[in-house]
Amino acid sequence: GILSLVLLFVGTTAAFMIRKADFKGDWTYNESKSKVGESRFRRPPAKIKVSGEGESLTIDRTGTNQNGEAVTQSEKLTFDGKAAESTVFGSMKRSSVASWSASGEEMNINTTISGERNGQTFEFKIAEVWKLTDGGKSLTIESTATSQQGTTNQTLVYDKN
């Protein structure tokens, strides 16, 4: 009767639940596996730390600035369609929206960075596709950055610590 109906419902819902890739952990940039091309943008972060619980992730990207000092940018992303807003590089505005692919194996992060320089406003967009590779030992980020100067594609590979 009712019990078998409940069990049937629970069983079918479980079948539809997608297991999402687990990006949590500490990752170190692997220059030899990465393809950065001719990028006008800064060097890729040397380290990425991903933490979080439930439906949110915090991503800390640590790299060096022009003076060789370590700089960490932190961003908390949710998967509810809402943009994560923050300020980067002084006064530039960053807005990022994260989503999962249908399979749950890839995370998409679409970011818009806007600001003003010498009285001119500018904007660039970055689309990132995150996926685990090499049996989960590596994190691969396919990145496409678009600005008034054109488009730059990068493949960044990070090894799990």
Side-chain angles (χ1 to χ4, degrees):
I2 297 238
L3 182 59
S4 51
L5 206 55
V6 168
L7 290 174
L8 178 67
F9 177 75
V10 169
T12 18
T13 354
F16 289 111
M17 289 180 66
I18 296 169
R19 183 156 184 259
K20 302 198 171 57
D22 185 3
F23 297 109
K24 290 187 211 107
D26 294 301
W27 304 89
T28 301
Y29 181 60
N30 184 323
E31 191 172 359
S32 66
K33 290 183 184 174
S34 299
K35 298 180 191 82
V36 292
E38 293 298 314
S39 175
R40 287 179 296 285
F41 301 108
R42 66 195 192 297
R43 289 186 305 277
K47 298 198 175 296
I48 293 178
K49 178 182 178 135
V50 181
S51 57
E53 24 186 273
E55 277 296 302
S56 71
L57 286 179
T58 299
I59 301 173
D60 297 314
R61 303 178 197 226
T62 303
T64 52
N65 64 15
Q66 304 89 301
N67 304 328
E69 303 159 329
V71 177
T72 300
Q73 291 185 355
S74 188
E75 186 171 36
K76 183 174 184 174
L77 300 171
T78 57
F79 297 90
D80 56 8
K82 293 187 178 123
E85 309 279 343
S86 59
T87 304
V88 292
F89 312 120
S91 63
M92 291 190 232
K93 302 280 181 235
R94 175 174 63 186
S95 174
S96 299
V97 177
S99 62
W100 290 103
S101 65
S103 67
E105 293 176 9
E106 296 177 347
M107 177 173 64
N108 302 300
I109 304 174
N110 291 300
T111 301
T112 301
I113 296 178
S114 55
E116 193 176 304
R117 187 179 297 135
N118 303 327
Q120 297 288 319
T121 58
F122 65 90
E123 177 178 279
F124 58 95
K125 295 180 182 288
I126 303 167
E128 293 179 333
V129 178
W130 289 42
K131 56 189 161 202
L132 295 175
T133 50
D134 194 21
K137 294 183 198 136
S138 297
L139 163 64
T140 299
I141 303 171
E142 300 279 347
S143 174
T144 302
T146 308
S147 70
Q148 290 93 332
Q149 287 87 30
T151 300
T152 305
N153 294 306
Q154 294 184 329
T155 301
L156 307 177
V157 179
Y158 290 82
D159 297 323
K160 192 155 198 170
N161 295 349

